[in-house]
Amino acid sequence: MTIYHFLIDSTYASDFIDFICDNYQEENHKFVVLTFLNERECVKNNKNIDKIDILYKNRQFIKYLLKIKKNDKLIIHGLFNKWVVYALYFKRRLLNCSTIVMWGADLYIHRTYLKSKRLKDKILDYMRGYIFKNVKTLGFDMPTDYQLMKEWYKVNRGAFFITYPQPINKELINLALKSKSNSSPVINILLGNSASRENNHIEAFEILTKYADENIKIYCPLSYGDTEDYRKMVIEKGASVFKDKFEPITTFMSSEEYAQFFSKMDVAIFNNNRQQAMGNITLAAFLGCKVYLRQNTTMWRQYVENGGCHFYPIETIKSIGIDEFKSIDYESIEINKKYFERLQDKDFMKKTWNPLLYQNNMQ
C-alpha cells in the first residue's frame, strides 16, 4: 500500500514532506506536488526528492489522481483545485480511500460561492458539499473551522485535527531572538501576511491612521497573494497615508531572512477575516510581539478563547494610545510562546498525524 499526498508547491509543502519522511520511514509515502512554471518551486531542492513527483499542469495532476488504486491511501492537502473536485465527484471510488485536510481558503471560498450568481459556482459548491459528506476522512489544522464546515455544509461526522510544521524552525527563531533589540525608538509594525484581500489592508490603514504622526514604521508583506492591481492599490494607499513610514515587502525572503526581518517587529496586526497567516502568527508569538487579531474569526476562537493566548482585538486600537498599543508584559509573552511551542513540538505533531495516517481513534 502507498500513501499518496497531493499538495500545491509551497514552503509548507516542502517542510511537511521532510516531517513525514523523517518520522514515518516504515510506510511507503509518495508526494505529488503541483507547481507552476511562473511561480517559485519550493520542493525541487527538497532532500527527499526521490519520493516526490513534481507536476506542472492540472491535467497531469488529475491523470495521476485517477491512477490511484483502491487499496492505496490518498491525502489531499487543501481542496483548492476545481479539477480535483470534479475528479472526486465523478470518480467516487476515490472517496473511499481519500482524506481531505482543509487549509482555510478551500473552506472559506464557500462565502464567495454563496454571493455568486454564476450557476457553475453553485454547482461546484454543491459538489464540494457532497465530497465533504462522503469522503472517508476529513482533517483540520484549525478545529474551529470544522464547526464552520458543519454549519455551512451540514456535515455531521467526525474529523481528525492535525498540526503542520511551520516553515521557520526553532534554530532560526533562536537566532532571531538573539538579534532582537528593544532599544530602538521606532515602533516597528507588521501588517498582514500577503497581498490577499482577506487581509483587509485598507481597513487596517484607517485604524492605524491615528498613529501616523508617531514614531512608527509599518512593514507590509505583499510578495504573494491576489492580483497585481490589488497589490498596487495597497502600496499606493499605504504610501499616501504613512509616507516614508510605510514599507511594502514585495520580494520573497528565505526562511533565514524572514526570521531576521521579523526580529525587528514590535507589533503584528492580522486583520484577516478568515483562517490565514498562521505561520506569521506563530513567529510573532515566539518573538514576543504584541499580536492583534479580529475577534470574529476562527483564529481568535482557537488561539484566544480555546488556547488562552494573550492576543488583542484589533478594534481596541481605536481607543488606546501609542504606549498601550505597543506594550506587552512578560507573562503574556511566555504564555503565547508555550502555546506555540507545544503545537510545533515534533512528538506532539506526530500524535496528531498518527490517527489520521493509521485511520483509528477518530475524534
Side-chain angles (χ1 to χ4, degrees):
M1 182 191 73
T2 302
I3 301 176
Y4 289 95
H5 298 266
F6 274 54
L7 305 110
I8 303 297
D9 198 351
S10 67
T11 53
Y12 290 93
S14 187
D15 286 348
F16 175 75
I17 292 169
D18 288 343
F19 166 73
I20 292 294
C21 291
D22 289 346
N23 292 282
Y24 296 96
Q25 298 174 6
E26 296 179 2
E27 291 78 26
N28 184 20
H29 289 268
K30 190 72 177 177
F31 304 90
V32 185
V33 179
L34 179 64
T35 190
F36 299 97
L37 292 174
N38 61 338
E39 300 287 345
R40 293 180 303 157
E41 294 182 64
C42 299
V43 303
K44 67 179 181 180
N45 296 319
N46 188 283
K47 65 182 182 181
N48 299 291
I49 193 65
D50 60 309
K51 295 181 178 293
I52 303 171
D53 284 336
I54 301 176
L55 307 179
Y56 293 92
K57 295 180 180 179
N58 281 318
R59 65 173 177 266
Q60 294 175 317
F61 207 50
I62 301 307
K63 283 182 179 179
Y64 203 118
L65 180 68
L66 297 176
K67 290 179 182 178
I68 292 174
K69 300 174 182 177
K70 65 179 181 180
N71 292 328
D72 293 324
K73 289 184 180 180
L74 169 63
I75 301 178
I76 298 171
H77 300 265
L79 192 62
F80 301 108
N81 193 312
K82 67 179 181 180
W83 298 105
V84 175
V85 173
Y86 297 151
L88 293 174
Y89 184 80
F90 290 110
K91 298 293 184 181
R92 297 181 181 179
R93 68 169 181 84
L94 290 170
L95 295 176
N96 296 326
C97 64
S98 296
T99 293
I100 298 174
V101 182
M102 305 300 292
W103 276 36
D106 50 345
L107 174 63
Y108 287 85
I109 190 66
H110 174 71
R111 298 189 299 197
T112 301
Y113 291 148
L114 277 180
K115 296 176 183 177
S116 176
K117 296 180 180 179
R118 299 192 303 177
L119 179 60
K120 65 179 182 180
D121 288 342
K122 302 297 185 184
I123 293 173
L124 184 60
D125 205 33
Y126 169 81
M127 291 178 176
R128 285 159 40 86
Y130 179 89
I131 291 168
F132 295 149
K133 291 174 183 175
N134 292 279
V135 71
K136 182 175 182 180
T137 315
L138 286 169
F140 294 83
D141 64 347
M142 183 68 70
T144 42
D145 276 354
Y146 175 51
Q147 302 303 318
L148 284 181
M149 177 177 280
K150 292 200 293 185
E151 176 186 338
W152 290 346
Y153 291 99
K154 310 306 178 187
V155 172
N156 185 21
R157 55 179 302 175
F160 292 102
F161 303 122
I162 49 80
T163 300
Y164 282 92
Q166 297 297 331
I168 297 178
N169 60 37
K170 189 174 291 186
E171 290 74 21
L172 292 178
I173 290 171
N174 289 335
L175 286 173
L177 282 170
K178 289 179 181 178
S179 63
K180 188 174 179 65
S181 172
N182 295 319
S183 60
S184 173
V186 179
I187 299 175
N188 291 311
I189 303 166
L190 183 89
L191 176 57
N193 75 303
S194 69
S196 164
R197 294 175 187 273
E198 286 89 349
N199 281 263
N200 294 288
H201 295 94
I202 307 306
E203 180 185 62
F205 290 156
E206 293 171 355
I207 293 173
L208 291 171
T209 299
K210 61 184 290 185
Y211 301 135
D213 295 328
E214 302 287 352
N215 195 8
I216 64 171
K217 185 82 172 183
I218 298 174
Y219 295 87
C220 196
L222 299 168
S223 58
Y224 68 95
D226 285 342
T227 65
E228 183 62 27
D229 287 343
Y230 179 74
R231 182 182 290 107
K232 287 181 179 178
M233 180 187 71
V234 172
I235 293 173
E236 290 173 1
K237 182 66 174 179
S240 69
V241 174
F242 299 101
K243 306 297 189 291
D244 59 351
K245 297 179 180 180
F246 176 77
E247 185 169 331
I249 309 298
T250 57
T251 57
F252 287 104
M253 300 182 192
S254 67
S255 295
E256 294 82 358
E257 292 169 332
Y258 198 64
Q260 289 300 313
F261 157 75
F262 218 121
S263 69
K264 299 190 299 181
M265 299 302 116
D266 301 295
V267 176
I269 298 174
F270 302 103
N271 198 32
N272 310 64
N273 62 6
R274 66 168 177 85
Q275 184 222 94
Q276 208 174 24
M278 294 167 68
N280 281 268
I281 293 171
T282 300
L283 187 55
F286 272 119
L287 294 177
C289 297
K290 187 167 186 178
V291 176
Y292 290 89
L293 302 175
R294 293 171 75 110
Q295 283 184 294
N296 62 342
T297 62
T298 57
M299 293 188 298
W300 180 271
R301 290 200 293 275
Q302 181 64 27
Y303 293 144
V304 179
E305 295 176 8
N306 297 344
C309 291
H310 287 199
F311 294 159
Y312 303 86
I314 285 174
E315 295 80 5
T316 61
I317 297 175
K318 299 175 183 178
S319 60
I320 59 177
I322 191 68
D323 291 334
E324 185 177 350
F325 168 71
K326 174 189 175 182
S327 65
I328 179 172
D329 59 83
Y330 177 79
E331 181 183 1
S332 295
I333 291 173
E334 289 302 304
I335 287 172
N336 294 342
K337 281 183 183 178
K338 287 179 180 178
Y339 176 83
F340 286 96
E341 280 175 353
R342 176 174 175 267
L343 288 185
Q344 288 303 296
D345 178 77
K346 290 295 188 292
D347 289 334
F348 177 79
M349 281 192 279
K350 283 186 65 177
K351 287 180 180 178
T352 68
W353 279 99
N354 286 344
L356 189 151
L357 293 174
Y358 301 130
Q359 297 292 294
N360 56 24
N361 299 328
M362 184 179 287
Q363 299 183 38

